[in-house]
Short mmCIF file of all heavy atoms in Angstrom, two decimals:
data_model
loop_
_atom_site.label_atom_id
_atom_site.label_comp_id
_atom_site.label_asym_id
_atom_site.label_seq_id
_atom_site.Cartn_x
_atom_site.Cartn_y
_atom_site.Cartn_z
N MET E 21 98.17 54.55 87.73
CA MET E 21 97.85 55.31 86.51
C MET E 21 97.16 56.61 86.87
O MET E 21 96.29 56.64 87.72
CB MET E 21 96.94 54.46 85.61
CG MET E 21 96.65 55.11 84.28
SD MET E 21 96.74 53.86 82.97
CE MET E 21 96.43 54.88 81.55
N LEU E 22 97.56 57.67 86.22
CA LEU E 22 96.96 58.97 86.49
C LEU E 22 95.68 59.09 85.67
O LEU E 22 95.71 59.35 84.47
CB LEU E 22 97.94 60.09 86.10
CG LEU E 22 99.23 60.12 86.94
CD1 LEU E 22 100.23 61.05 86.30
CD2 LEU E 22 98.93 60.55 88.35
N THR E 23 94.59 58.90 86.33
CA THR E 23 93.31 58.94 85.62
C THR E 23 92.52 60.17 86.00
O THR E 23 92.91 60.95 86.86
CB THR E 23 92.48 57.68 85.92
OG1 THR E 23 92.38 57.53 87.32
CG2 THR E 23 93.12 56.45 85.31
N ALA E 24 91.37 60.32 85.36
CA ALA E 24 90.53 61.48 85.60
C ALA E 24 89.41 61.12 86.56
O ALA E 24 88.85 60.02 86.50
CB ALA E 24 89.94 61.96 84.28
N ALA E 25 89.10 62.04 87.45
CA ALA E 25 87.91 61.90 88.28
C ALA E 25 86.71 62.27 87.44
O ALA E 25 86.73 63.27 86.71
CB ALA E 25 88.02 62.82 89.49
N ARG E 26 85.69 61.44 87.49
CA ARG E 26 84.48 61.78 86.74
C ARG E 26 83.39 62.14 87.73
O ARG E 26 83.35 61.58 88.81
CB ARG E 26 84.05 60.58 85.89
CG ARG E 26 85.06 60.29 84.78
CD ARG E 26 84.66 59.12 83.93
NE ARG E 26 83.42 59.41 83.18
CZ ARG E 26 82.84 58.51 82.37
NH1 ARG E 26 83.35 57.32 82.22
NH2 ARG E 26 81.75 58.83 81.73
N PRO E 27 82.49 63.08 87.40
CA PRO E 27 82.38 63.69 86.07
C PRO E 27 83.16 64.98 85.88
O PRO E 27 82.97 65.67 84.88
CB PRO E 27 80.88 63.97 85.97
CG PRO E 27 80.50 64.32 87.38
CD PRO E 27 81.39 63.48 88.27
N SER E 28 84.05 65.33 86.80
CA SER E 28 84.72 66.63 86.67
C SER E 28 85.85 66.62 85.64
O SER E 28 86.23 67.64 85.10
CB SER E 28 85.31 67.04 88.03
OG SER E 28 86.34 66.14 88.41
N TRP E 29 86.43 65.44 85.40
CA TRP E 29 87.57 65.30 84.48
C TRP E 29 88.78 66.08 84.95
O TRP E 29 89.55 66.61 84.18
CB TRP E 29 87.18 65.61 83.03
CG TRP E 29 86.33 64.49 82.52
CD1 TRP E 29 84.97 64.40 82.61
CD2 TRP E 29 86.76 63.26 81.93
NE1 TRP E 29 84.54 63.18 82.13
CE2 TRP E 29 85.62 62.47 81.69
CE3 TRP E 29 88.02 62.75 81.60
CZ2 TRP E 29 85.70 61.19 81.14
CZ3 TRP E 29 88.10 61.49 81.03
CH2 TRP E 29 86.94 60.72 80.80
N ASP E 30 88.94 66.14 86.29
CA ASP E 30 90.19 66.62 86.87
C ASP E 30 91.04 65.39 87.19
O ASP E 30 90.52 64.33 87.47
CB ASP E 30 89.92 67.40 88.16
CG ASP E 30 89.19 68.70 87.89
OD1 ASP E 30 89.35 69.26 86.78
OD2 ASP E 30 88.47 69.15 88.80
N CYS E 31 92.35 65.57 87.18
CA CYS E 31 93.26 64.47 87.50
C CYS E 31 93.04 64.03 88.95
O CYS E 31 92.94 64.86 89.85
CB CYS E 31 94.70 64.94 87.29
SG CYS E 31 95.93 63.75 87.81
N VAL E 32 92.98 62.70 89.18
CA VAL E 32 92.77 62.21 90.55
C VAL E 32 94.00 62.49 91.42
O VAL E 32 93.87 62.59 92.64
CB VAL E 32 92.46 60.70 90.59
CG1 VAL E 32 91.08 60.41 90.00
CG2 VAL E 32 93.53 59.88 89.92
N ALA E 33 95.17 62.60 90.81
CA ALA E 33 96.39 62.78 91.59
C ALA E 33 96.64 64.24 91.95
O ALA E 33 96.96 64.56 93.08
CB ALA E 33 97.59 62.21 90.84
N CYS E 34 96.52 65.14 90.99
CA CYS E 34 96.93 66.52 91.24
C CYS E 34 95.80 67.53 91.14
O CYS E 34 95.98 68.68 91.49
CB CYS E 34 98.06 66.90 90.29
SG CYS E 34 97.58 66.95 88.57
N GLY E 35 94.64 67.12 90.66
CA GLY E 35 93.50 68.03 90.61
C GLY E 35 93.49 68.99 89.44
O GLY E 35 92.58 69.80 89.31
N GLN E 36 94.51 68.91 88.59
CA GLN E 36 94.48 69.75 87.39
C GLN E 36 93.57 69.12 86.35
O GLN E 36 93.20 67.96 86.46
CB GLN E 36 95.89 69.87 86.80
CG GLN E 36 96.86 70.64 87.67
CD GLN E 36 98.23 70.71 87.02
OE1 GLN E 36 98.34 71.04 85.85
NE2 GLN E 36 99.26 70.39 87.78
N THR E 37 93.24 69.90 85.32
CA THR E 37 92.44 69.34 84.26
C THR E 37 93.19 68.18 83.61
O THR E 37 94.39 68.27 83.35
CB THR E 37 92.11 70.39 83.18
OG1 THR E 37 93.31 71.01 82.77
CG2 THR E 37 91.16 71.43 83.72
N TRP E 38 92.49 67.08 83.43
CA TRP E 38 93.10 65.87 82.87
C TRP E 38 93.02 65.90 81.36
O TRP E 38 91.99 66.33 80.82
CB TRP E 38 92.34 64.66 83.43
CG TRP E 38 92.99 63.35 83.10
CD1 TRP E 38 93.94 62.71 83.83
CD2 TRP E 38 92.72 62.52 81.97
NE1 TRP E 38 94.29 61.54 83.20
CE2 TRP E 38 93.56 61.40 82.06
CE3 TRP E 38 91.86 62.62 80.87
CZ2 TRP E 38 93.57 60.38 81.09
CZ3 TRP E 38 91.86 61.62 79.91
CH2 TRP E 38 92.71 60.51 80.03
N PRO E 39 93.99 65.42 80.62
CA PRO E 39 95.26 64.89 81.11
C PRO E 39 96.29 65.97 81.44
O PRO E 39 96.63 66.76 80.57
CB PRO E 39 95.74 64.02 79.94
CG PRO E 39 95.15 64.68 78.72
CD PRO E 39 93.85 65.26 79.16
N CYS E 40 96.76 66.00 82.67
CA CYS E 40 97.82 66.93 83.07
C CYS E 40 99.14 66.47 82.45
O CYS E 40 99.21 65.39 81.87
CB CYS E 40 97.93 66.96 84.60
SG CYS E 40 98.32 65.34 85.30
N ASP E 41 100.19 67.26 82.61
CA ASP E 41 101.47 66.91 81.99
C ASP E 41 101.99 65.53 82.40
O ASP E 41 102.39 64.74 81.54
CB ASP E 41 102.52 67.99 82.27
CG ASP E 41 102.25 69.25 81.45
OD1 ASP E 41 101.48 69.16 80.47
OD2 ASP E 41 102.80 70.30 81.79
N PRO E 42 102.00 65.21 83.71
CA PRO E 42 102.45 63.86 84.09
C PRO E 42 101.57 62.75 83.50
O PRO E 42 102.08 61.70 83.11
CB PRO E 42 102.37 63.87 85.62
CG PRO E 42 102.41 65.30 86.00
CD PRO E 42 101.75 66.05 84.88
N ALA E 43 100.28 62.99 83.42
CA ALA E 43 99.39 61.98 82.84
C ALA E 43 99.71 61.80 81.35
O ALA E 43 99.72 60.67 80.84
CB ALA E 43 97.93 62.39 83.03
N ARG E 44 99.97 62.89 80.66
CA ARG E 44 100.30 62.79 79.23
C ARG E 44 101.59 61.99 79.05
O ARG E 44 101.68 61.14 78.17
CB ARG E 44 100.46 64.19 78.62
CG ARG E 44 99.15 64.90 78.51
CD ARG E 44 99.30 66.31 77.98
NE ARG E 44 98.05 67.04 78.20
CZ ARG E 44 97.64 68.06 77.46
NH1 ARG E 44 98.38 68.51 76.48
NH2 ARG E 44 96.49 68.64 77.72
N GLU E 45 102.58 62.28 79.89
CA GLU E 45 103.83 61.53 79.80
C GLU E 45 103.61 60.05 80.04
O GLU E 45 104.15 59.20 79.34
CB GLU E 45 104.81 62.06 80.85
CG GLU E 45 105.78 63.07 80.29
CD GLU E 45 106.68 63.63 81.39
OE1 GLU E 45 107.20 62.81 82.17
OE2 GLU E 45 106.82 64.86 81.46
N GLU E 46 102.81 59.76 81.06
CA GLU E 46 102.55 58.36 81.38
C GLU E 46 101.82 57.66 80.23
O GLU E 46 102.18 56.55 79.84
CB GLU E 46 101.71 58.28 82.65
CG GLU E 46 101.51 56.86 83.14
CD GLU E 46 100.68 56.80 84.41
OE1 GLU E 46 99.46 57.07 84.33
OE2 GLU E 46 101.23 56.52 85.47
N LEU E 47 100.82 58.31 79.69
CA LEU E 47 100.06 57.72 78.59
C LEU E 47 100.96 57.49 77.37
O LEU E 47 100.90 56.45 76.72
CB LEU E 47 98.89 58.63 78.21
CG LEU E 47 97.75 58.68 79.23
CD1 LEU E 47 96.88 59.91 79.00
CD2 LEU E 47 96.91 57.42 79.16
N ARG E 48 101.81 58.48 77.08
CA ARG E 48 102.72 58.34 75.94
C ARG E 48 103.68 57.17 76.12
O ARG E 48 104.02 56.50 75.16
CB ARG E 48 103.56 59.63 75.79
CG ARG E 48 102.90 60.67 74.95
CD ARG E 48 103.97 61.58 74.35
NE ARG E 48 103.37 62.82 73.86
CZ ARG E 48 103.29 63.94 74.56
NH1 ARG E 48 103.80 63.99 75.77
NH2 ARG E 48 102.72 65.00 74.05
N SER E 49 104.12 56.96 77.35
CA SER E 49 105.08 55.87 77.55
C SER E 49 104.40 54.51 77.59
O SER E 49 105.02 53.49 77.35
CB SER E 49 105.91 56.11 78.81
OG SER E 49 105.09 56.06 79.96
N ASP E 50 103.10 54.50 77.88
CA ASP E 50 102.37 53.23 77.96
C ASP E 50 101.85 52.75 76.61
O ASP E 50 101.55 51.57 76.45
CB ASP E 50 101.15 53.36 78.89
CG ASP E 50 101.56 53.37 80.35
OD1 ASP E 50 102.75 53.15 80.64
OD2 ASP E 50 100.69 53.61 81.21
N MET E 51 101.68 53.63 75.66
CA MET E 51 101.00 53.28 74.41
C MET E 51 101.75 53.82 73.21
O MET E 51 102.45 54.82 73.32
CB MET E 51 99.59 53.89 74.39
CG MET E 51 98.68 53.40 75.48
SD MET E 51 97.05 54.17 75.34
CE MET E 51 96.62 54.25 77.08
N ASP E 52 101.53 53.16 72.06
CA ASP E 52 102.03 53.78 70.83
C ASP E 52 101.03 54.83 70.37
O ASP E 52 99.95 54.97 70.95
CB ASP E 52 102.36 52.73 69.76
CG ASP E 52 101.14 52.01 69.22
OD1 ASP E 52 100.06 52.64 69.10
OD2 ASP E 52 101.25 50.82 68.92
N LEU E 53 101.36 55.56 69.32
CA LEU E 53 100.55 56.71 68.94
C LEU E 53 99.13 56.34 68.53
O LEU E 53 98.18 57.06 68.82
CB LEU E 53 101.22 57.47 67.79
CG LEU E 53 102.45 58.30 68.18
CD1 LEU E 53 103.05 58.96 66.95
CD2 LEU E 53 102.08 59.34 69.23
N VAL E 54 98.98 55.19 67.89
CA VAL E 54 97.65 54.77 67.46
C VAL E 54 96.79 54.39 68.66
O VAL E 54 95.64 54.83 68.79
CB VAL E 54 97.74 53.60 66.45
CG1 VAL E 54 96.36 53.06 66.12
CG2 VAL E 54 98.46 54.04 65.19
N GLU E 55 97.37 53.59 69.54
CA GLU E 55 96.64 53.21 70.76
C GLU E 55 96.25 54.43 71.57
O GLU E 55 95.14 54.52 72.10
CB GLU E 55 97.51 52.31 71.64
CG GLU E 55 97.74 50.93 71.09
CD GLU E 55 98.80 50.16 71.87
OE1 GLU E 55 99.73 50.79 72.43
OE2 GLU E 55 98.69 48.93 71.92
N LEU E 56 97.19 55.36 71.65
CA LEU E 56 96.95 56.57 72.42
C LEU E 56 95.80 57.39 71.82
O LEU E 56 94.91 57.86 72.54
CB LEU E 56 98.23 57.41 72.46
CG LEU E 56 98.20 58.72 73.23
CD1 LEU E 56 97.86 58.46 74.70
CD2 LEU E 56 99.53 59.43 73.12
N ALA E 57 95.80 57.53 70.50
CA ALA E 57 94.74 58.31 69.85
C ALA E 57 93.38 57.65 70.08
O ALA E 57 92.39 58.33 70.37
CB ALA E 57 95.03 58.45 68.36
N ILE E 58 93.34 56.32 69.98
CA ILE E 58 92.07 55.61 70.18
C ILE E 58 91.61 55.76 71.63
O ILE E 58 90.45 56.06 71.92
CB ILE E 58 92.22 54.12 69.82
CG1 ILE E 58 92.47 53.98 68.31
CG2 ILE E 58 90.99 53.32 70.25
CD1 ILE E 58 92.92 52.60 67.90
N TYR E 59 92.55 55.60 72.53
CA TYR E 59 92.23 55.73 73.96
C TYR E 59 91.68 57.12 74.26
O TYR E 59 90.66 57.29 74.94
CB TYR E 59 93.49 55.45 74.78
CG TYR E 59 93.30 55.57 76.27
CD1 TYR E 59 92.74 54.53 77.01
CD2 TYR E 59 93.67 56.74 76.94
CE1 TYR E 59 92.56 54.64 78.38
CE2 TYR E 59 93.49 56.86 78.32
CZ TYR E 59 92.94 55.81 79.04
OH TYR E 59 92.76 55.94 80.38
N MET E 60 92.33 58.15 73.72
CA MET E 60 91.90 59.50 74.01
C MET E 60 90.59 59.86 73.33
O MET E 60 89.80 60.63 73.85
CB MET E 60 93.01 60.50 73.65
CG MET E 60 94.25 60.42 74.55
SD MET E 60 93.89 60.48 76.34
CE MET E 60 93.20 62.15 76.49
N TRP E 61 90.32 59.29 72.16
CA TRP E 61 89.02 59.49 71.54
C TRP E 61 87.91 58.96 72.44
O TRP E 61 86.87 59.59 72.61
CB TRP E 61 88.93 58.74 70.20
CG TRP E 61 89.31 59.57 69.00
CD1 TRP E 61 90.38 59.36 68.18
CD2 TRP E 61 88.62 60.72 68.47
NE1 TRP E 61 90.40 60.32 67.20
CE2 TRP E 61 89.34 61.15 67.35
CE3 TRP E 61 87.47 61.42 68.87
CZ2 TRP E 61 88.94 62.26 66.60
CZ3 TRP E 61 87.08 62.52 68.12
CH2 TRP E 61 87.81 62.93 67.00
N ASP E 62 88.16 57.77 73.01
CA ASP E 62 87.17 57.18 73.91
C ASP E 62 86.95 58.06 75.14
O ASP E 62 85.82 58.25 75.59
CB ASP E 62 87.60 55.78 74.35
CG ASP E 62 87.47 54.75 73.24
OD1 ASP E 62 86.80 55.05 72.22
OD2 ASP E 62 88.04 53.65 73.38
N ARG E 63 88.05 58.56 75.70
CA ARG E 63 87.92 59.41 76.88
C ARG E 63 87.20 60.72 76.51
O ARG E 63 86.39 61.21 77.28
CB ARG E 63 89.31 59.75 77.46
CG ARG E 63 90.14 58.55 77.92
CD ARG E 63 89.59 57.84 79.14
NE ARG E 63 88.47 56.95 78.84
CZ ARG E 63 88.58 55.77 78.21
NH1 ARG E 63 89.74 55.34 77.78
NH2 ARG E 63 87.52 55.03 78.00
N LEU E 64 87.52 61.26 75.34
CA LEU E 64 86.85 62.49 74.90
C LEU E 64 85.35 62.27 74.80
O LEU E 64 84.54 63.09 75.23
CB LEU E 64 87.41 62.93 73.55
CG LEU E 64 86.72 64.12 72.87
CD1 LEU E 64 86.82 65.39 73.73
CD2 LEU E 64 87.32 64.39 71.49
N ASP E 65 84.98 61.13 74.24
CA ASP E 65 83.57 60.79 74.10
C ASP E 65 82.88 60.76 75.47
O ASP E 65 81.79 61.30 75.65
CB ASP E 65 83.50 59.41 73.42
CG ASP E 65 82.11 59.11 72.91
OD1 ASP E 65 81.51 60.01 72.29
OD2 ASP E 65 81.63 57.99 73.16
N GLU E 66 83.53 60.14 76.44
CA GLU E 66 82.97 60.09 77.79
C GLU E 66 82.90 61.48 78.41
O GLU E 66 81.92 61.82 79.08
CB GLU E 66 83.85 59.20 78.69
CG GLU E 66 83.82 57.74 78.32
CD GLU E 66 84.82 56.90 79.10
OE1 GLU E 66 85.66 57.48 79.83
OE2 GLU E 66 84.76 55.68 78.99
N ALA E 67 83.94 62.26 78.20
CA ALA E 67 83.98 63.60 78.79
C ALA E 67 82.87 64.47 78.22
O ALA E 67 82.23 65.23 78.95
CB ALA E 67 85.34 64.25 78.55
N VAL E 68 82.64 64.35 76.92
CA VAL E 68 81.59 65.16 76.30
C VAL E 68 80.23 64.82 76.91
O VAL E 68 79.44 65.70 77.22
CB VAL E 68 81.58 64.96 74.76
CG1 VAL E 68 80.30 65.50 74.15
CG2 VAL E 68 82.79 65.64 74.15
N SER E 69 79.98 63.53 77.17
CA SER E 69 78.68 63.21 77.78
C SER E 69 78.63 63.61 79.25
O SER E 69 77.59 64.05 79.73
CB SER E 69 78.31 61.74 77.57
OG SER E 69 79.39 60.90 77.78
N ASP E 70 79.75 63.50 79.96
CA ASP E 70 79.76 63.93 81.36
C ASP E 70 79.57 65.44 81.48
O ASP E 70 78.94 65.91 82.42
CB ASP E 70 81.10 63.58 82.03
CG ASP E 70 81.16 62.12 82.46
OD1 ASP E 70 80.12 61.44 82.39
OD2 ASP E 70 82.24 61.68 82.86
N LEU E 71 80.17 66.19 80.58
CA LEU E 71 80.19 67.65 80.70
C LEU E 71 79.05 68.31 79.94
O LEU E 71 78.92 69.52 79.95
CB LEU E 71 81.53 68.20 80.22
CG LEU E 71 82.76 67.67 80.97
CD1 LEU E 71 84.04 68.10 80.28
CD2 LEU E 71 82.76 68.12 82.42
N SER E 72 78.21 67.51 79.28
CA SER E 72 77.09 68.08 78.56
C SER E 72 76.11 68.68 79.55
O SER E 72 76.10 68.27 80.72
CB SER E 72 76.41 67.01 77.70
OG SER E 72 75.86 66.01 78.53
N PRO E 73 75.23 69.63 79.18
CA PRO E 73 74.99 70.01 77.80
C PRO E 73 75.96 71.05 77.25
O PRO E 73 75.82 71.45 76.10
CB PRO E 73 73.57 70.60 77.85
CG PRO E 73 73.49 71.22 79.21
CD PRO E 73 74.33 70.33 80.10
N ASN E 74 76.92 71.49 78.03
CA ASN E 74 77.83 72.53 77.54
C ASN E 74 79.28 72.12 77.67
O ASN E 74 80.04 72.69 78.43
CB ASN E 74 77.61 73.84 78.31
CG ASN E 74 76.24 74.44 78.04
OD1 ASN E 74 75.87 74.67 76.90
ND2 ASN E 74 75.48 74.65 79.10
N PRO E 75 79.70 71.10 76.92
CA PRO E 75 81.11 70.71 77.01
C PRO E 75 82.01 71.83 76.50
O PRO E 75 81.67 72.49 75.52
CB PRO E 75 81.21 69.47 76.12
CG PRO E 75 80.03 69.52 75.22
CD PRO E 75 78.96 70.30 75.95
N PRO E 76 83.10 72.10 77.19
CA PRO E 76 84.00 73.17 76.75
C PRO E 76 84.50 72.94 75.33
O PRO E 76 84.82 71.82 74.95
CB PRO E 76 85.16 73.08 77.75
CG PRO E 76 84.65 72.31 78.91
CD PRO E 76 83.59 71.41 78.37
N ALA E 77 84.58 74.01 74.59
CA ALA E 77 84.98 73.92 73.19
C ALA E 77 86.42 73.43 73.04
O ALA E 77 86.77 72.86 72.02
CB ALA E 77 84.82 75.28 72.51
N GLU E 78 87.22 73.63 74.06
CA GLU E 78 88.62 73.25 73.93
C GLU E 78 88.87 71.78 74.23
O GLU E 78 90.01 71.33 74.26
CB GLU E 78 89.50 74.13 74.80
CG GLU E 78 89.39 73.90 76.30
CD GLU E 78 88.26 74.68 76.96
OE1 GLU E 78 87.38 75.22 76.24
OE2 GLU E 78 88.23 74.75 78.20
N LEU E 79 87.82 71.01 74.45
CA LEU E 79 88.02 69.60 74.80
C LEU E 79 88.81 68.83 73.75
O LEU E 79 89.66 68.01 74.07
CB LEU E 79 86.67 68.89 74.99
CG LEU E 79 86.02 68.97 76.37
CD1 LEU E 79 84.80 68.06 76.39
CD2 LEU E 79 86.98 68.59 77.48
N PHE E 80 88.52 69.09 72.49
CA PHE E 80 89.21 68.37 71.43
C PHE E 80 90.71 68.60 71.54
O PHE E 80 91.52 67.68 71.49
CB PHE E 80 88.70 68.79 70.05
CG PHE E 80 89.37 68.04 68.93
CD1 PHE E 80 88.89 66.81 68.50
CD2 PHE E 80 90.50 68.56 68.31
CE1 PHE E 80 89.53 66.11 67.48
CE2 PHE E 80 91.14 67.87 67.28
CZ PHE E 80 90.65 66.64 66.87
N GLU E 81 91.06 69.87 71.71
CA GLU E 81 92.47 70.23 71.85
C GLU E 81 93.08 69.57 73.08
O GLU E 81 94.17 69.01 73.03
CB GLU E 81 92.58 71.74 71.96
CG GLU E 81 93.91 72.28 71.58
CD GLU E 81 93.83 73.74 71.20
OE1 GLU E 81 93.00 74.10 70.34
OE2 GLU E 81 94.59 74.52 71.78
N ARG E 82 92.35 69.63 74.17
CA ARG E 82 92.84 69.10 75.44
C ARG E 82 93.06 67.58 75.39
O ARG E 82 94.03 67.06 75.93
CB ARG E 82 91.82 69.46 76.51
CG ARG E 82 92.02 68.78 77.86
CD ARG E 82 91.01 69.33 78.84
NE ARG E 82 90.76 68.41 79.92
CZ ARG E 82 89.78 68.57 80.82
NH1 ARG E 82 88.96 69.59 80.73
NH2 ARG E 82 89.62 67.68 81.77
N PHE E 83 92.17 66.89 74.72
CA PHE E 83 92.24 65.43 74.73
C PHE E 83 93.06 64.87 73.56
O PHE E 83 93.67 63.82 73.70
CB PHE E 83 90.83 64.83 74.69
CG PHE E 83 90.17 64.79 76.05
CD1 PHE E 83 89.75 65.95 76.66
CD2 PHE E 83 90.00 63.58 76.70
CE1 PHE E 83 89.16 65.92 77.91
CE2 PHE E 83 89.41 63.53 77.96
CZ PHE E 83 88.99 64.70 78.57
N LEU E 84 93.04 65.55 72.43
CA LEU E 84 93.61 64.91 71.25
C LEU E 84 94.79 65.63 70.60
O LEU E 84 95.66 64.99 70.04
CB LEU E 84 92.52 64.68 70.21
CG LEU E 84 91.64 63.50 70.60
CD1 LEU E 84 90.31 63.56 69.90
CD2 LEU E 84 92.36 62.19 70.31
N LYS E 85 94.82 66.94 70.67
CA LYS E 85 95.84 67.65 69.91
C LYS E 85 97.25 67.24 70.33
O LYS E 85 98.13 67.08 69.50
CB LYS E 85 95.65 69.15 70.08
CG LYS E 85 96.20 69.92 68.91
CD LYS E 85 95.86 71.38 69.01
CE LYS E 85 96.51 72.13 67.86
NZ LYS E 85 96.43 73.57 68.08
N TRP E 86 97.47 67.04 71.61
CA TRP E 86 98.80 66.72 72.11
C TRP E 86 99.26 65.32 71.73
O TRP E 86 100.44 65.00 71.85
CB TRP E 86 98.83 66.86 73.64
CG TRP E 86 97.95 65.86 74.33
CD1 TRP E 86 96.62 65.99 74.55
CD2 TRP E 86 98.33 64.59 74.85
NE1 TRP E 86 96.15 64.87 75.18
CE2 TRP E 86 97.17 64.00 75.38
CE3 TRP E 86 99.55 63.89 74.92
CZ2 TRP E 86 97.18 62.74 75.97
CZ3 TRP E 86 99.56 62.63 75.51
CH2 TRP E 86 98.39 62.06 76.03
N THR E 87 98.33 64.47 71.27
CA THR E 87 98.72 63.09 70.97
C THR E 87 99.42 62.96 69.62
O THR E 87 99.98 61.92 69.31
CB THR E 87 97.50 62.13 70.95
OG1 THR E 87 96.61 62.48 69.89
CG2 THR E 87 96.75 62.19 72.27
N ARG E 88 99.38 64.02 68.80
CA ARG E 88 99.92 63.88 67.46
C ARG E 88 101.37 64.34 67.38
O ARG E 88 101.81 65.12 68.17
CB ARG E 88 99.10 64.71 66.46
CG ARG E 88 97.63 64.71 66.83
CD ARG E 88 96.82 65.25 65.73
NE ARG E 88 96.55 64.20 64.79
CZ ARG E 88 96.04 64.39 63.56
NH1 ARG E 88 95.76 65.59 63.16
NH2 ARG E 88 95.80 63.39 62.77
ZN1 ZN Q 20 97.78 65.03 87.44
#
């Protein structure tokens, strides 16, 4: 599974910001849309605490927008 390295939230496989394109494809094929949204909400929550006190404003878009 293509996961994120914490606390940087870069992909462990390719080093791009997670979820990279292959990670998104993998997640989409592993889960239905509801499961995926819940999973990504949880990851977003973790990322916000890892990247605090200044989490990037685009995190919501990065983690959730592509799931819809
Ligand atoms: Zn990757």
